[in-house]
Amino acid sequence: MAPIWVPFLYIGALIMGMLTFSRYLRRQKQAKISATEPWFPTHQARDLYITLLQADPPTEEKILMSALLCRAVTDVKRIWQLRDSKQALNILVQKGSLGDETVARFAAAERELEAEVVDVVAEANTFKAGWGQWIFASASEIAQREKIKSVLEGLPKIKQEQDRIYASRRAQTSSSTPAPASIADPRTTSATSATTTALGSSAEGLVKRAAGAGGVEDALLESDAPSSGTSTPALMGTPVKGGVPTAKTKTLGSNRKKGKRK
C-alpha cells in the first residue's frame, strides 16, 4: 500500500509546474512588450532637463525652471494625444480590429505618463513650494497658445490650396459648359405684343368707320366724338368737356362730304 503522502507530493509537483509555466509566459509577454515600439518617441525635453541638472558647472535656477516647464508642456501635449486616442482605441478593440499588442502599448504609455507627471510635480516643488500645483496649468496655457499659433501659420497654405482647387474647378466648368444663347426678356416681349395688338385693333376700327361714314375725316371726327353717356351742347361753337370737337366743326365736316359727292 502506497504511503499517504504520495498524493500530496503529486499535487505539490503539479502546482509548482503550473507556477513555473505561468511565470515563463509572463516573462515572454513582458519581453515582447519591451521589444515593441513605444507609443511616444523619445522625451527630448526630459532628457534635456536631466542633462542640465547633472551638468558639472551648476546651471542657473531660472534655466532649470524653464527646462522643467518645457518638459511639462510636452507632457500636456502627450496627455491630449492619449485622451483623443483612447476613445477610438476602445471602439476598435470592441470590434476586434486591434490586437492585444496595441492595447498593451497604450497601457504602458499611460503608466509611463502618470509616472512622468508625478516626477515633474516633485521636481517643481523643489524649486518653489507649491509650484507643482500650478506648473501644469501654466504648461496647458503655453501648449494651447502653440496650438493656435500653428493653426494660424498654416492658414496661408490652406488658402493657396483652396484657391488652386477652385481655379481648376472653374476652368473645367467653363470648358464643359457651352455659351448661353441670347434670350429675350419675356416682359419686354409681352409688352411689345400687347402694344402691337392695340395698334392693330385701333387701325382696323378706323378703317371700318371710314368705310361706313364715307371718309377718313368723318371717321376721325366720329372717333373723337363724346360717348353715349355725354350730353352734346345745343349751341354751335360751344366746346364739349374733355377737348371734344364742337358741333360747328362737325357741321363743316358734313358740308365738305356733300361737296365731294357732287
Side-chain angles (χ1 to χ4, degrees):
M1 183 177 179
I4 195 170
W5 52 267
V6 173
F8 292 102
L9 181 63
Y10 177 74
I11 293 173
L14 185 62
I15 292 174
M16 289 297 295
M18 293 177 64
L19 290 176
T20 304
F21 183 71
S22 64
R23 184 178 297 178
Y24 175 76
L25 284 180
R26 285 198 299 268
R27 287 183 179 178
Q28 289 292 329
K29 288 184 178 180
Q30 189 67 28
K32 188 181 293 185
I33 292 173
S34 301
T36 56
E37 184 180 358
W39 193 269
F40 294 110
T42 307
H43 203 316
Q44 297 181 358
R46 179 183 59 192
D47 297 342
L48 179 61
Y49 173 76
I50 294 174
T51 302
L52 292 174
L53 191 62
Q54 296 176 355
D56 190 6
T59 311
E60 295 182 4
E61 186 177 353
K62 293 182 179 180
I63 298 177
L64 291 175
M65 292 176 68
S66 300
L68 185 62
L69 186 60
C70 292
R71 180 180 174 182
V73 170
T74 305
D75 293 337
V76 167
K77 293 180 180 179
R78 293 190 173 188
I79 290 172
W80 290 350
Q81 292 180 9
L82 287 179
R83 182 187 61 190
D84 296 338
S85 303
K86 190 170 186 178
Q87 185 176 2
L89 182 67
N90 292 331
I91 294 173
L92 293 175
V93 169
Q94 291 176 1
K95 292 182 177 180
S97 301
L98 294 178
D100 296 334
E101 181 181 352
T102 306
V103 178
R105 287 176 55 202
F106 188 81
E110 284 184 334
R111 291 193 298 268
E112 182 182 357
L113 192 57
E114 289 176 359
E116 174 67 17
V117 170
V118 173
D119 191 10
V120 169
V121 171
E123 290 289 334
N125 289 327
T126 58
F127 292 102
K128 188 184 293 184
W131 189 38
Q133 299 178 358
W134 305 101
I135 185 171
F136 278 100
S138 303
S140 299
E141 293 179 1
I142 295 173
Q144 189 68 29
R145 183 178 179 182
E146 291 181 357
K147 185 178 180 180
I148 296 173
K149 184 179 179 181
S150 62
V151 171
L152 293 177
E153 289 178 351
L155 286 179
K157 188 179 294 184
I158 296 174
K159 183 178 179 299
Q160 292 177 0
E161 184 67 19
Q162 292 296 327
D163 291 342
R164 185 184 63 80
I165 295 173
Y166 177 73
S168 62
R169 289 181 179 177
R170 185 173 57 183
Q172 292 176 1
T173 305
S174 61
S175 61
S176 61
T177 305
S182 58
I183 302 174
D185 191 357
R187 293 177 297 179
T188 307
T189 306
S190 61
T192 306
S193 60
T195 305
T196 307
T197 305
L199 290 175
S201 300
S202 300
E204 185 179 357
L206 184 60
V207 171
K208 289 181 179 180
R209 291 194 191 97
V216 179
E217 294 180 358
D218 294 338
L220 291 173
L221 291 174
E222 288 180 2
S223 63
D224 292 335
S227 59
S228 60
T230 308
S231 59
T232 306
L235 297 176
M236 295 177 61
T238 305
V240 182
K241 292 182 181 181
V244 181
T246 58
K248 185 177 181 180
T249 308
K250 187 174 181 180
T251 306
L252 292 176
S254 300
N255 295 331
R256 190 178 298 110
K257 184 176 65 174
K258 292 178 180 180
K260 288 181 179 181
R261 290 178 180 176
K262 293 180 180 181

